Amino acid sequence: MALRTRDSKIRQTAASTGLTALMGITEPVLYGVNLPKKYPLVAAMIGGGLGGLYAGLTHTHRFATGSSGIPAVLLYLGDDTLTYFINIIIALVITAISAAIIALILSFKYEKAAKPDGTAEPAAAPAAPAQPVFTVEPATVYAPVDGNVIAMEQIPDATFSSGVLGKGLGIEPDSGMIVAPFDGEIIQAADTGHAVGIASTDGIELLIHVGIDTVEMDGNGFTMQVAEGDQVKAGQTLLTFDREAIAKAGHPDTVVIMLTNADDFGTVDCAPAGAVAAGTQIIHTAK
């Protein structure tokens, strides 16, 4: 993906998050590249299936539990044999090569529609968006849900709290409705309904992720109200979620608001901890 894309921003994101994914931290590349572009995710799934098929046929297994990623190959050492260690290396090679070849082939279809600056060719005019619920100022993100703001470092997930995906904050929600935090375009709408990406008209790219590890709920309790490519106005409903369903599934319902292109701005000021209402300014940026 990093080699084939003509968008320099996507190229940089793909290269950096691809490396962290090899170490077992996959959410950055999933939300930053694979889901927005789609075809790299398809290639990764097919490649992973082929590698997994080999590992299954050779009865390859671990001798201890632990994280995923390349360092986990050491967990296949045991019983005074290198058989499973060698087999998992072969499986990884099969996965990497097949996924890369498939992504390369698919890129000739899906990357040619992009201009060198990364913008897509003009599309048909979208339907008229809903009227705004609150007035917005440039370079500003408004709260997409009622609740209590917590600092990014307090978000109960290392992928978000470490700042790998960008800069932002969390909101412990008081309601089950997410609204648009500014005027913009939907650039990602998760099939599972738990996350949405939105780009503002002045260059802010925001990920709104409802709950921690809620992708495991496979869409139960979530209803997406928008689709990728939709033009939305501030205050327009993006998705709804069932807080009780999230609690029953054993997940925190923290809403993560992450500015994924924070490096494009000189300053990113986030609101302090405390109660906040939807439509209240929570992030202000400056070039």
Side-chain angles (χ1 to χ4, degrees), residues 29-43:
V29 75
L30 178 64
Y31 290 113
V33 179
N34 286 6
L35 283 173
K37 299 294 286 188
K38 292 185 176 63
Y39 79 84
L41 180 61
V42 173

PDB file of all heavy atoms in Angstrom, residues 29-43:
ATOM      1  N   VAL A  29      -3.255   0.686  11.828  1.00  0.00           N
ATOM      2  CA  VAL A  29      -3.293   0.411  10.388  1.00  0.00           C
ATOM      3  C   VAL A  29      -4.706   0.027   9.948  1.00  0.00           C
ATOM      4  O   VAL A  29      -5.119   0.322   8.828  1.00  0.00           O
ATOM      5  CB  VAL A  29      -2.276  -0.692  10.006  1.00  0.00           C
ATOM      6  CG1 VAL A  29      -2.753  -2.076  10.422  1.00  0.00           C
ATOM      7  CG2 VAL A  29      -2.008  -0.673   8.509  1.00  0.00           C
ATOM      8  N   LEU A  30      -5.471  -0.580  10.855  1.00  0.00           N
ATOM      9  CA  LEU A  30      -6.838  -0.962  10.506  1.00  0.00           C
ATOM     10  C   LEU A  30      -7.692   0.267  10.243  1.00  0.00           C
ATOM     11  O   LEU A  30      -8.373   0.369   9.215  1.00  0.00           O
ATOM     12  CB  LEU A  30      -7.448  -1.809  11.626  1.00  0.00           C
ATOM     13  CG  LEU A  30      -8.899  -2.256  11.425  1.00  0.00           C
ATOM     14  CD1 LEU A  30      -9.012  -3.186  10.227  1.00  0.00           C
ATOM     15  CD2 LEU A  30      -9.425  -2.953  12.681  1.00  0.00           C
ATOM     16  N   TYR A  31      -7.655   1.227  11.192  1.00  0.00           N
ATOM     17  CA  TYR A  31      -8.499   2.417  11.060  1.00  0.00           C
ATOM     18  C   TYR A  31      -7.870   3.497  10.188  1.00  0.00           C
ATOM     19  O   TYR A  31      -8.571   4.323   9.619  1.00  0.00           O
ATOM     20  CB  TYR A  31      -8.810   2.998  12.444  1.00  0.00           C
ATOM     21  CG  TYR A  31      -9.731   2.124  13.252  1.00  0.00           C
ATOM     22  CD1 TYR A  31      -9.285   1.494  14.407  1.00  0.00           C
ATOM     23  CD2 TYR A  31     -11.037   1.907  12.847  1.00  0.00           C
ATOM     24  CE1 TYR A  31     -10.128   0.672  15.136  1.00  0.00           C
ATOM     25  CE2 TYR A  31     -11.886   1.090  13.572  1.00  0.00           C
ATOM     26  CZ  TYR A  31     -11.422   0.481  14.721  1.00  0.00           C
ATOM     27  OH  TYR A  31     -12.251  -0.334  15.435  1.00  0.00           O
ATOM     28  N   GLY A  32      -6.530   3.501  10.089  1.00  0.00           N
ATOM     29  CA  GLY A  32      -5.867   4.530   9.307  1.00  0.00           C
ATOM     30  C   GLY A  32      -5.742   4.218   7.830  1.00  0.00           C
ATOM     31  O   GLY A  32      -5.693   5.127   7.001  1.00  0.00           O
ATOM     32  N   VAL A  33      -5.683   2.916   7.481  1.00  0.00           N
ATOM     33  CA  VAL A  33      -5.437   2.537   6.090  1.00  0.00           C
ATOM     34  C   VAL A  33      -6.418   1.480   5.584  1.00  0.00           C
ATOM     35  O   VAL A  33      -7.131   1.683   4.601  1.00  0.00           O
ATOM     36  CB  VAL A  33      -3.992   2.016   5.912  1.00  0.00           C
ATOM     37  CG1 VAL A  33      -3.749   1.601   4.466  1.00  0.00           C
ATOM     38  CG2 VAL A  33      -2.985   3.069   6.332  1.00  0.00           C
ATOM     39  N   ASN A  34      -6.471   0.333   6.259  1.00  0.00           N
ATOM     40  CA  ASN A  34      -7.193  -0.814   5.703  1.00  0.00           C
ATOM     41  C   ASN A  34      -8.688  -0.580   5.534  1.00  0.00           C
ATOM     42  O   ASN A  34      -9.255  -0.916   4.490  1.00  0.00           O
ATOM     43  CB  ASN A  34      -6.959  -2.052   6.575  1.00  0.00           C
ATOM     44  CG  ASN A  34      -5.565  -2.624   6.376  1.00  0.00           C
ATOM     45  OD1 ASN A  34      -4.747  -2.042   5.670  1.00  0.00           O
ATOM     46  ND2 ASN A  34      -5.290  -3.760   6.983  1.00  0.00           N
ATOM     47  N   LEU A  35      -9.341  -0.036   6.545  1.00  0.00           N
ATOM     48  CA  LEU A  35     -10.777   0.207   6.422  1.00  0.00           C
ATOM     49  C   LEU A  35     -11.101   1.352   5.457  1.00  0.00           C
ATOM     50  O   LEU A  35     -11.994   1.211   4.615  1.00  0.00           O
ATOM     51  CB  LEU A  35     -11.390   0.464   7.802  1.00  0.00           C
ATOM     52  CG  LEU A  35     -11.615  -0.790   8.661  1.00  0.00           C
ATOM     53  CD1 LEU A  35     -12.073  -0.400  10.057  1.00  0.00           C
ATOM     54  CD2 LEU A  35     -12.636  -1.719   8.024  1.00  0.00           C
ATOM     55  N   PRO A  36     -10.384   2.498   5.527  1.00  0.00           N
ATOM     56  CA  PRO A  36     -10.688   3.562   4.563  1.00  0.00           C
ATOM     57  C   PRO A  36     -10.434   3.151   3.117  1.00  0.00           C
ATOM     58  O   PRO A  36     -11.204   3.502   2.223  1.00  0.00           O
ATOM     59  CB  PRO A  36      -9.746   4.702   4.993  1.00  0.00           C
ATOM     60  CG  PRO A  36      -9.486   4.447   6.433  1.00  0.00           C
ATOM     61  CD  PRO A  36      -9.449   2.949   6.570  1.00  0.00           C
ATOM     62  N   LYS A  37      -9.348   2.413   2.864  1.00  0.00           N
ATOM     63  CA  LYS A  37      -8.996   2.039   1.485  1.00  0.00           C
ATOM     64  C   LYS A  37      -9.638   0.723   1.047  1.00  0.00           C
ATOM     65  O   LYS A  37      -9.745   0.436  -0.136  1.00  0.00           O
ATOM     66  CB  LYS A  37      -7.475   1.935   1.345  1.00  0.00           C
ATOM     67  CG  LYS A  37      -6.741   3.230   1.637  1.00  0.00           C
ATOM     68  CD  LYS A  37      -7.058   4.307   0.609  1.00  0.00           C
ATOM     69  CE  LYS A  37      -6.384   4.052  -0.708  1.00  0.00           C
ATOM     70  NZ  LYS A  37      -6.516   5.160  -1.647  1.00  0.00           N
ATOM     71  N   LYS A  38     -10.013  -0.113   1.979  1.00  0.00           N
ATOM     72  CA  LYS A  38     -10.736  -1.371   1.749  1.00  0.00           C
ATOM     73  C   LYS A  38      -9.905  -2.483   1.097  1.00  0.00           C
ATOM     74  O   LYS A  38      -9.825  -3.586   1.627  1.00  0.00           O
ATOM     75  CB  LYS A  38     -12.013  -1.137   0.936  1.00  0.00           C
ATOM     76  CG  LYS A  38     -13.076  -0.344   1.679  1.00  0.00           C
ATOM     77  CD  LYS A  38     -14.356  -0.266   0.859  1.00  0.00           C
ATOM     78  CE  LYS A  38     -15.443   0.446   1.650  1.00  0.00           C
ATOM     79  NZ  LYS A  38     -15.108   1.847   1.952  1.00  0.00           N
ATOM     80  N   TYR A  39      -9.304  -2.233  -0.049  1.00  0.00           N
ATOM     81  CA  TYR A  39      -8.639  -3.338  -0.732  1.00  0.00           C
ATOM     82  C   TYR A  39      -7.431  -3.904   0.033  1.00  0.00           C
ATOM     83  O   TYR A  39      -7.175  -5.104  -0.051  1.00  0.00           O
ATOM     84  CB  TYR A  39      -8.265  -2.943  -2.169  1.00  0.00           C
ATOM     85  CG  TYR A  39      -7.027  -2.091  -2.331  1.00  0.00           C
ATOM     86  CD1 TYR A  39      -5.761  -2.670  -2.385  1.00  0.00           C
ATOM     87  CD2 TYR A  39      -7.112  -0.715  -2.473  1.00  0.00           C
ATOM     88  CE1 TYR A  39      -4.627  -1.886  -2.563  1.00  0.00           C
ATOM     89  CE2 TYR A  39      -5.997   0.063  -2.653  1.00  0.00           C
ATOM     90  CZ  TYR A  39      -4.745  -0.522  -2.699  1.00  0.00           C
ATOM     91  OH  TYR A  39      -3.619   0.241  -2.869  1.00  0.00           O
ATOM     92  N   PRO A  40      -6.676  -3.092   0.828  1.00  0.00           N
ATOM     93  CA  PRO A  40      -5.607  -3.712   1.624  1.00  0.00           C
ATOM     94  C   PRO A  40      -6.165  -4.680   2.673  1.00  0.00           C
ATOM     95  O   PRO A  40      -5.526  -5.675   3.016  1.00  0.00           O
ATOM     96  CB  PRO A  40      -4.909  -2.520   2.281  1.00  0.00           C
ATOM     97  CG  PRO A  40      -5.244  -1.361   1.424  1.00  0.00           C
ATOM     98  CD  PRO A  40      -6.636  -1.621   0.943  1.00  0.00           C
ATOM     99  N   LEU A  41      -7.369  -4.386   3.191  1.00  0.00           N
ATOM    100  CA  LEU A  41      -7.989  -5.271   4.169  1.00  0.00           C
ATOM    101  C   LEU A  41      -8.367  -6.605   3.514  1.00  0.00           C
ATOM    102  O   LEU A  41      -8.165  -7.676   4.095  1.00  0.00           O
ATOM    103  CB  LEU A  41      -9.222  -4.613   4.783  1.00  0.00           C
ATOM    104  CG  LEU A  41      -9.977  -5.427   5.836  1.00  0.00           C
ATOM    105  CD1 LEU A  41      -9.074  -5.734   7.025  1.00  0.00           C
ATOM    106  CD2 LEU A  41     -11.218  -4.683   6.301  1.00  0.00           C
ATOM    107  N   VAL A  42      -8.907  -6.541   2.300  1.00  0.00           N
ATOM    108  CA  VAL A  42      -9.244  -7.756   1.566  1.00  0.00           C
ATOM    109  C   VAL A  42      -7.991  -8.596   1.337  1.00  0.00           C
ATOM    110  O   VAL A  42      -7.984  -9.815   1.544  1.00  0.00           O
ATOM    111  CB  VAL A  42      -9.907  -7.403   0.216  1.00  0.00           C
ATOM    112  CG1 VAL A  42     -10.097  -8.656  -0.631  1.00  0.00           C
ATOM    113  CG2 VAL A  42     -11.246  -6.713   0.442  1.00  0.00           C
ATOM    114  N   ALA A  43      -6.900  -7.943   0.918  1.00  0.00           N
ATOM    115  CA  ALA A  43      -5.645  -8.652   0.677  1.00  0.00           C
ATOM    116  C   ALA A  43      -5.112  -9.284   1.959  1.00  0.00           C
ATOM    117  O   ALA A  43      -4.640 -10.431   1.955  1.00  0.00           O
ATOM    118  CB  ALA A  43      -4.611  -7.687   0.092  1.00  0.00           C
TER     119      ALA A  43
END
